[in-house]
């Protein structure tokens, strides 16, 4: 399924707002400009025993009518992970969409960022069922290669009542886990 | 004629090359300037495909200069050069009105934040993403690129790397097929203004009345003030495009190899 840009904006604002209400989870911030709307998240994660900063942006692609995930990883000294490191990290997740990762120009920043090309998004989302926020559903697939999983609460309509349960979330498996700051 | 494919135009566009002056910015303060190095680069190509050869050329003349393709970066007019844009786009954006060349500095100082190395492999990935997107715009459901074999993708890229028109166009011809019965759904167009990310929105070739849309319509849909005050010229492949040019003509004849029509808005006061 594709969405119009106004639908995307509403879903994105709702996504950011509901994440914020949950508390105790990685926050996203909403950024609006003449060029478009964008949700951003910046967190420290552990990768190969090293703390790296994962920067993620969600933008709208008007060609395909779907969201696009943009990301970069930086070491503490500010240097970005190399292309081969990114590929190694994302292919650990055994996701078939990892093959669509490439650098390209970020539509708002105008610099190179990694993205997962949106050419398959519409087909993949058509196969997803279930209710819940559109961005959260999309992110459950497209965030997987880089270790992003939207909170389960976003897939139900009882976001607020889920708060206490999410506070006791079990720790992550695998090589990507959030560092307590 | 508005929608016709013109072989001569495509051939000339492929063969067009631009003169680039390369200077090495030394990080020592010796005061000795390296002599500039000149190269004619194909407009439809990419800097990363030529950088190794350029650096060899510089090293052949200045043996004291240490240049590592993995560590240098390029700058033009005080801005990091977006080497993932086609050469012709960068030339049209940056060429001063009073000189035939653009001057590119080869920088050896540490790269600024946000400036990425664009290797040949990265350039190929970026190219293929753009090509897929352009053809999705043109065909929507009918995805020609997706049904291509892997070796056909490779042949497109190989044609660019080795500057082989026939190799490239034997595949690209299929991507450019359109007719009155089977028109392009949207024309792939990207607009460039210095210092900004490129802008792109879907551009149908006809309006709701079935009349051909022109460059003027496309530009107005991107930004309402682009056309109205005559502040800009709109250049593609070094040619100032008439605002009444039909979009279908541009899509068939003025596309770069990634199948996008890349148009540069250049301030007219500098003309």
């Amino acid at each position: 399924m594709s969405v119009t840009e106004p639908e995307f904006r509403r879903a994105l604002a709702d996504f950011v707002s509901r994440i914020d209400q949950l508390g105790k989870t990685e926050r996203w911030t909403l950024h609006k400009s003449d060029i478009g709307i964008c949700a951003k998240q910046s967190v420290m994660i552990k990768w190969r025993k090293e703390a790296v900063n994962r920067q993620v942006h969600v933008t709208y692609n008007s060609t395909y009518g779907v969201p696009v995930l943009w990301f970069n990883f930086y070491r503490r000294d500010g240097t970005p992970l190399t292309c081969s490191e990114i590929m190694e990290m994302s292919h650990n997740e055994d996701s078939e969409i990892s093959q669509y990762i490439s650098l390209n120009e970020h539509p708002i920043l105008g610099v190179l960022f990694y993205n997962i090309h949106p050419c398959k998004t519409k087909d993949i989302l058509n196969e997803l069922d279930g209710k819940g926020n559109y961005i959260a559903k999309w992110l459950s697939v497209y965030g997987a290669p880089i270790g992003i999983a939207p909170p389960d609460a976003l897939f139900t309509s009882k976001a607020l009542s889920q708060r206490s349960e999410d506070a006791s979330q079990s720790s992550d498996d695998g090589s990507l886990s959030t560092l307590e700051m | 004629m508005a929608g016709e494919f013109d072989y001569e135009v495509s051939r000339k566009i492929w063969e067009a090359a631009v003169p680039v002056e390369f200077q090495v910015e030394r990080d020592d303060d010796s005061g000795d300037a390296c002599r500039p190095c000149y190269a004619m680069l194909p407009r439809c190509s990419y800097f990363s495909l030529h950088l190794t050869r350029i650096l060899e050329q510089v090293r052949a003349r200045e043996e004291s200069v240490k240049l590592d393709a993995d560590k240098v970066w390029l700058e033009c007019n005080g801005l990091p050069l977006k080497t993932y844009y086609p050469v012709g786009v960068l030339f049209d954006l940056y060429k001063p009105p009073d000189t035939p060349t653009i001057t590119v500095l080869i920088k050896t100082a540490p790269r600024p934040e946000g400036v990425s190395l664009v290797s040949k492999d990265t350039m190929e990935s970026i190219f293929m993403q753009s090509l897929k997107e352009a053809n999705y715009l043109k065909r929507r459901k009918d995805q020609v690129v997706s049904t291509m074999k892997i070796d056909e993708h490779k042949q497109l890229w190989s044609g660019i790397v080795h500057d082989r028109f026939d190799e490239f166009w034997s595949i690209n011809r299929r991507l450019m097929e359109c007719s009155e019965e089977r028109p392009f759904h949207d024309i792939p167009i990207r607009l460039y203004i210095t210092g900004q990310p490129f802008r792109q929105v879907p551009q149908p070739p006809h309006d709701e009345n079935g009349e051909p849309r022109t460059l003027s319509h496309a530009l107005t849909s991107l930004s309402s003030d682009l056309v109205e005050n005559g502040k800009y010229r709109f250049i593609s492949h070094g040619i100032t495009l008439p605002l009444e040019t039909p979009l279908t003509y541009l899509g068939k004849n003025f596309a770069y190899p990634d199948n996008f029509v890349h148009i540069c808005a250049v301030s007219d006061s500098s003309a």
Side-chain angles (χ1 to χ4, degrees):
Chain A
M1 86 194 68
S2 60
V3 290
T4 64
E5 186 164 5
E7 286 168 342
F8 169 81
R9 285 171 171 263
R10 282 194 296 271
L12 195 66
D14 180 60
F15 170 80
V16 171
S17 169
R18 292 176 68 180
I19 290 270
D20 202 48
Q21 287 172 32
L22 289 180
K24 191 62 183 178
T25 184
E26 299 152 4
R27 286 171 202 271
W28 294 75
T29 55
L30 208 56
H31 301 258
K32 297 170 188 174
S33 72
D34 290 344
I35 299 178
I37 194 173
C38 175
K40 298 183 181 180
Q41 184 190 70
S42 176
V43 296
M44 297 300 293
I45 64 167
K46 203 185 313 174
W47 181 67
R48 279 178 170 177
K49 303 177 186 173
E50 184 185 352
V52 295
N53 174 236
R54 179 184 67 201
Q55 291 202 12
V56 184
H57 298 172
V58 179
T59 65
Y60 180 72
N61 179 288
S62 63
T63 298
Y64 296 96
V66 295
V68 180
L69 191 72
W70 297 89
F71 59 93
N72 249 315
F73 289 82
Y74 302 93
R75 297 191 151 87
R76 286 197 189 273
D77 65 1
T79 61
L81 293 194
T82 65
C83 197
S84 57
E85 286 169 324
I86 295 289
M87 294 307 166
E88 177 188 333
M89 176 195 295
S90 56
H91 279 84
N92 277 347
E93 294 296 327
D94 196 24
S95 162
E96 68 180 61
I97 62 175
S98 298
Q99 64 183 300
Y100 299 110
I101 290 175
S102 172
L103 282 165
N104 219 313
E105 181 167 271
H106 188 296
I108 295 177
L109 300 181
V111 295
L112 287 181
F113 253 63
Y114 292 94
N115 77 111
I116 302 177
H117 198 249
C119 55
K120 299 295 183 189
T121 304
K122 193 181 300 189
D123 297 337
I124 288 172
L125 289 190
N126 280 339
E127 293 176 17
L128 293 185
D129 47 15
K131 296 168 181 171
N133 178 272
Y134 173 85
I135 301 295
K137 286 192 293 182
W138 163 81
L139 198 57
S140 68
V141 177
Y142 277 78
I146 57 171
I148 298 178
D152 290 341
L154 291 191
F155 296 102
T156 73
S157 56
K158 309 173 181 176
L160 288 177
S161 66
Q162 294 286 117
R163 179 174 298 184
S164 57
E165 289 182 44
D166 287 326
S168 60
Q169 274 179 127
S170 58
S171 59
D172 297 321
D173 58 72
S175 55
L176 295 175
S177 60
T178 306
L179 291 179
E180 290 295 328
M181 299 290 295
Chain B
M1 189 57 201
E4 285 307 306
F5 173 72
D6 189 324
Y7 173 86
E8 285 301 319
V9 169
S10 291
R11 187 86 204 204
K12 286 186 187 305
I13 279 172
W14 178 276
E15 291 175 350
V18 291
V20 181
E21 178 189 68
F22 290 91
Q23 294 183 9
V24 178
E25 186 184 85
R26 307 183 65 143
D27 50 2
D28 56 40
D29 272 327
S30 65
D32 293 336
C34 294
R35 286 173 293 163
C37 190
Y38 295 91
M40 294 294 288
L41 299 183
R43 276 183 165 273
C44 289
S45 187
Y46 297 92
F47 274 90
S48 55
L49 300 181
H50 302 278
L51 187 59
T52 299
R53 174 172 67 87
I54 300 295
L55 296 183
E56 282 166 4
Q57 226 172 306
V58 173
R59 275 192 296 260
R61 310 169 65 177
E62 306 284 346
E63 293 185 3
S64 64
V65 178
K66 293 174 184 170
L67 295 171
D68 185 348
D70 289 344
K71 297 205 173 92
V72 301
W73 54 284
L74 304 180
E75 186 185 87
C76 189
N77 285 11
L79 292 173
L81 195 66
K82 295 185 173 183
T83 54
Y84 49 92
Y85 286 177
V87 168
V89 171
L90 293 165
F91 187 87
D92 291 340
L93 279 176
Y94 288 118
K95 188 188 101 58
D98 55 346
T99 169
T101 66
I102 60 169
T103 298
V104 173
L105 290 183
I106 300 173
K107 311 271 289 191
T108 55
R111 269 199 296 262
E113 226 175 278
V115 177
S116 300
L117 170 70
V118 182
S119 66
K120 283 186 185 181
D121 284 347
T122 295
M123 193 65 248
E124 182 179 0
S125 294
I126 293 175
F127 174 84
M128 289 310 306
Q129 275 203 348
S130 297
L131 187 80
K132 279 185 174 184
E133 183 157 344
N135 282 279
Y136 185 83
L137 281 164
K138 291 192 281 187
R139 308 292 183 186
R140 292 291 159 170
K141 298 296 181 184
D142 177 5
Q143 298 210 48
V144 179
V145 179
S146 291
T147 60
M148 275 184 165
K149 303 182 187 94
I150 292 293
D151 57 343
E152 289 176 319
H153 289 179
K154 292 298 180 187
Q155 186 171 329
L156 286 169
W157 180 243
S158 174
I160 295 164
V161 171
H162 302 292
D163 198 17
R164 296 185 188 131
F165 179 88
D166 291 333
E167 179 181 1
F168 177 82
W169 270 93
S170 66
I171 306 290
N172 198 51
R173 191 186 61 248
R174 207 185 320 158
L175 306 182
M176 287 300 172
E177 284 169 359
C178 81
S179 60
E180 286 194 359
E181 304 84 51
R182 205 160 149 277
F184 289 149
H185 190 276
D186 290 300
I187 307 299
I189 296 176
R190 288 180 171 168
L191 179 73
Y192 297 79
I193 302 177
T194 304
Q196 299 182 23
F198 65 77
R199 293 202 217 177
Q200 177 191 329
V201 295
Q203 297 290 354
H206 296 95
D207 64 21
E208 54 282 337
N209 299 317
E211 293 302 314
R213 291 178 82 237
T214 64
L215 176 59
S216 182
H217 295 122
L219 294 169
T220 301
S221 73
L222 280 161
S223 180
S224 58
D225 58 4
L226 272 173
V227 175
E228 64 191 13
N229 50 24
K231 184 167 103 181
Y232 293 108
R233 284 182 300 135
F234 301 97
I235 300 179
S236 191
H237 298 284
I239 296 164
T240 299
L241 301 173
L243 290 176
E244 60 269 27
T245 308
L247 294 188
T248 299
Y249 177 87
L250 291 178
K252 292 191 78 173
N253 296 295
F254 265 62
Y256 275 74
D258 65 1
N259 280 213
F260 272 95
V261 182
H262 300 278
I263 299 174
C264 301
V266 173
S267 176
D268 214 5
S269 61
S270 63

